[in-house]
Amino acid sequence: MADDNELQSLLKSIRQIARAVDIHSRRLDRAFGLTLPQLIVLRSIRDLGEVTSRAISIASDLSAPTVVGILDKLEDKRLIERYRSSRDRRVVHTRLTPAGRALLKRAPSPLGDDFTRAFAGLNDRDRRTVLKSVDRVALMLAPLALEPESVDS
């Protein structure tokens, strides 16, 4: 059974990760005009090709309404374009524009170039251990993401 010190240590580590991701997202926004979720969506579009918002939502692990909002912003910045399918007019596809492709070539890794280099520098076994551990923590935290939000008074 986990004791309070272990849980406090785990919470501190999770908060450090969340803070680092938030800081990186703000730096990305200042340097490239993109937040981290916007960069993740752009990369998903690049990796998947001409794709629906549902597929982007699944690939990026973002809710469908969040993806639609991000796509609206990326379209305003002329980094993507959306168009109706020629086979089924109800289906809307998204693709990168040349400006979107150019920005992705310049953009850093979503986790930051320093982290990416440090992670790549680990041996195969250590990388697998980190991935397995972080995946396990994410799975344990997943039920929190499903709970309705409430505001404390």
Side-chain angles (χ1 to χ4, degrees), residues 70-128:
I70 290 171
L71 292 175
D72 289 343
K73 289 178 177 141
L74 294 175
E75 193 170 37
D76 289 346
K77 295 176 184 189
R78 294 182 163 71
L79 299 173
I80 60 135
E81 56 188 8
R82 290 184 272 190
Y83 61 96
R84 296 210 175 269
S85 169
S86 59
R87 286 188 223 158
D88 184 345
R89 300 282 302 150
R90 295 171 296 178
V91 176
V92 177
H93 293 283
T94 301
R95 65 179 160 222
L96 293 177
T97 62
R101 278 192 286 285
L103 181 65
L104 280 176
K105 286 182 182 174
R106 296 188 345 261
S109 159
L111 290 172
D113 292 336
D114 291 339
F115 177 86
T116 300
R117 276 192 295 281
F119 185 72
L122 297 175
N123 63 48
D124 289 348
R125 182 172 170 250
D126 288 347
R127 279 196 312 274
R128 283 192 305 272

Side-chain angles (χ1 to χ4, degrees), residues 1-11:
M1 175 171 264
D3 65 28
D4 280 346
N5 290 334
E6 290 173 323
L7 291 172
Q8 288 289 54
S9 179
L10 179 59
L11 179 60

Side-chain angles (χ1 to χ4, degrees), residues 5-143:
N5 290 334
E6 290 173 323
L7 291 172
Q8 288 289 54
S9 179
L10 179 59
L11 179 60
K12 183 177 180 180
S13 294
I14 291 169
R15 290 181 51 77
Q16 287 173 334
I17 292 168
R19 183 171 185 270
V21 169
D22 184 54
I23 289 168
H24 180 60
S25 184
R26 282 187 264 136
R27 285 183 183 150
L28 270 173
D29 197 17
R30 282 193 305 273
F32 295 93
L34 289 177
T35 63
L36 183 56
Q38 290 171 349
L39 177 59
I40 290 167
V41 166
L42 272 182
R43 288 171 58 105
S44 293
I45 296 166
R46 179 201 61 201
D47 296 344
L48 297 170
E50 298 185 17
V51 65
T52 64
S53 59
R54 178 166 160 57
I56 296 166
S57 176
I58 292 166
S60 61
D61 197 30
L62 294 166
S63 72
T66 298
V67 167
V68 169
I70 290 171
L71 292 175
D72 289 343
K73 289 178 177 141
L74 294 175
E75 193 170 37
D76 289 346
K77 295 176 184 189
R78 294 182 163 71
L79 299 173
I80 60 135
E81 56 188 8
R82 290 184 272 190
Y83 61 96
R84 296 210 175 269
S85 169
S86 59
R87 286 188 223 158
D88 184 345
R89 300 282 302 150
R90 295 171 296 178
V91 176
V92 177
H93 293 283
T94 301
R95 65 179 160 222
L96 293 177
T97 62
R101 278 192 286 285
L103 181 65
L104 280 176
K105 286 182 182 174
R106 296 188 345 261
S109 159
L111 290 172
D113 292 336
D114 291 339
F115 177 86
T116 300
R117 276 192 295 281
F119 185 72
L122 297 175
N123 63 48
D124 289 348
R125 182 172 170 250
D126 288 347
R127 279 196 312 274
R128 283 192 305 272
T129 299
V130 168
L131 287 171
K132 189 182 234 179
S133 297
V134 173
D135 281 346
R136 182 175 279 175
V137 170
L139 284 172
M140 287 187 283
L141 287 172

